[in-house]
Amino acid sequence: MPPMYILELNFECYRDTSLGEAEPAIVNYLDMLRYQGQILGREFPTSMQDGCFVSRVVCPEQDSLHPDNQSEQVALAEQGLHQAGLLAPKPHLLGMDLLSDSTDPCGQEGERPSWMLLYTSFVHTCSPLRCGDHFAPIPLYRLPAIANGDHKQIIKWQEDWEACDQLQMNGSIAEHAVLHEISEVGSRLQRRGSDLARRLEGLCGISTYYYLYRVGGLSKAAELARPCPGCGGDWALAAPLHEIFDFKCDPCRLVSNLSWDFKD
């Protein structure tokens, strides 16, 4: 599967400017790229080199920053760069990111996933939308905008899910409250995520599922027998899917794992 890539963005000055003028314009531009899924993560080291501002970013594909992948918000942010005395950035490919997940190959091969799912964790910075066939992240800019011209609502859901996951993994504060959010049908986080999944399915015409985290339980046998929390139906799979998912409910568009307390 295709790797992700590390690039440098060189923001050249076409007139005298100041850090106070250039910094907010660059930060806003990078945020808009992030909300379109063109760059990944939340921290973008930026330095001054030979009179240029240089930011280092990770992109899902070599051509992620092509204008065809931009949102209207990115184009407006580019105008903000000009107003701050900066030219549109020149991308410079540094190489493959050896530590990132591989990007889903479906888009590059002209195929479409047979199904998709919203899945993330506190250790992931890639797109939270994954191909159900390859379990590889799908660049969000390949899809129609979810709302207001870009994918900011998906990115914000991802941030909230990952924050909850980090807290429950640390196990020191708010563990039960955040575990409810990522593992229970009816939680605010689940309702938001499932709504996003439904909207993506409507926009793309591809069945889109939501991942429910599972931990705890009385026994492995009891966990294997647990019904779908959405409809109460049977949703156990004959074999694990992608070595993670042991449950899948097609009517409710939910997937889940056997409790991590009992998973081999």
Side-chain angles (χ1 to χ4, degrees), residues 55-113:
S55 298
R56 184 166 293 193
V57 300
V58 175
C59 294
E61 300 172 293
Q62 287 193 60
D63 62 351
S64 294
L65 298 177
H66 191 280
D68 288 349
N69 297 323
Q70 287 185 355
S71 65
E72 183 179 343
Q73 285 87 336
V74 172
L76 289 172
E78 195 171 293
Q79 294 179 20
L81 292 174
H82 297 322
Q83 293 168 6
L86 303 171
L87 297 174
K90 297 177 180 178
H92 173 61
L93 179 65
L94 297 180
M96 296 183 296
D97 185 356
L98 302 179
L99 301 182
S100 289
D101 289 316
S102 297
T103 296
D104 182 57
C106 281
Q108 296 183 341
E109 298 173 358
E111 302 174 1
R112 280 165 57 89

Side-chain angles (χ1 to χ4, degrees), residues 9 13 44-45 82 112 116 118 143 152 165 178 202 223 234:
L9 301 182
C13 305
F44 313 107
H82 297 322
R112 280 165 57 89
M116 305 185 297
L118 278 178
L143 310 172
K152 182 177 180 178
D165 193 31
V178 297
E223 284 297 300
D234 182 15

Side-chain angles (χ1 to χ4, degrees), residues 11-250:
F11 300 86
E12 295 182 5
C13 305
Y14 70 86
R15 64 165 173 81
D16 288 340
T17 187
S18 64
L19 179 61
E21 191 176 7
E23 179 186 8
I26 292 174
V27 168
N28 181 61
Y29 179 76
L30 294 175
D31 276 345
M32 295 307 106
L33 290 177
R34 187 166 71 92
Y35 295 149
Q36 181 63 358
Q38 292 176 267
I39 62 176
L40 305 171
R42 298 178 66 181
E43 296 185 8
F44 313 107
T46 301
S47 60
M48 191 77 174
Q49 300 177 20
D50 300 324
C52 293
F53 294 94
V54 180
S55 298
R56 184 166 293 193
V57 300
V58 175
C59 294
E61 300 172 293
Q62 287 193 60
D63 62 351
S64 294
L65 298 177
H66 191 280
D68 288 349
N69 297 323
Q70 287 185 355
S71 65
E72 183 179 343
Q73 285 87 336
V74 172
L76 289 172
E78 195 171 293
Q79 294 179 20
L81 292 174
H82 297 322
Q83 293 168 6
L86 303 171
L87 297 174
K90 297 177 180 178
H92 173 61
L93 179 65
L94 297 180
M96 296 183 296
D97 185 356
L98 302 179
L99 301 182
S100 289
D101 289 316
S102 297
T103 296
D104 182 57
C106 281
Q108 296 183 341
E109 298 173 358
E111 302 174 1
R112 280 165 57 89
S114 64
W115 64 290
M116 305 185 297
L117 69 153
L118 278 178
Y119 171 90
T120 192
S121 78
F122 77 96
V123 298
H124 289 107
T125 59
C126 59
S127 166
L129 184 67
R130 299 215 174 205
C131 169
D133 304 311
H134 302 105
F135 195 53
I138 300 172
L140 294 177
Y141 54 77
R142 290 184 187 172
L143 310 172
I146 192 74
N148 304 317
D150 64 13
H151 298 284
K152 182 177 180 178
Q153 290 187 10
I154 297 177
I155 298 298
K156 288 302 179 183
W157 168 85
Q158 180 183 22
E159 289 176 2
D160 288 346
W161 207 104
E162 292 177 355
C164 288
D165 193 31
Q166 179 75 72
L167 285 171
Q168 72 92 16
M169 289 298 293
N170 290 350
S172 56
I173 58 170
E175 180 181 3
H176 297 294
V178 297
L179 192 58
H180 167 78
E181 288 296 329
I182 63 177
S183 63
E184 297 292 335
V185 166
S187 71
R188 287 178 294 176
L189 198 55
Q190 181 272 323
R191 292 198 304 270
R192 279 173 56 200
S194 287
D195 178 64
L196 290 170
R198 283 191 295 269
R199 286 153 63 186
L200 284 168
E201 180 168 337
L203 288 167
C204 303
I206 300 173
S207 299
T208 306
Y209 290 67
Y210 181 84
Y211 168 63
L212 277 180
Y213 181 88
R214 179 68 177 179
V215 71
L218 297 176
S219 67
K220 183 174 183 178
E223 284 297 300
L224 286 170
R226 72 184 176 102
C228 170
C231 65
D234 182 15
W235 67 330
L237 295 170
L241 187 61
H242 302 306
E243 301 181 353
I244 295 178
F245 310 113
D246 303 279
F247 304 93
K248 183 171 182 271
C249 181
D250 294 325

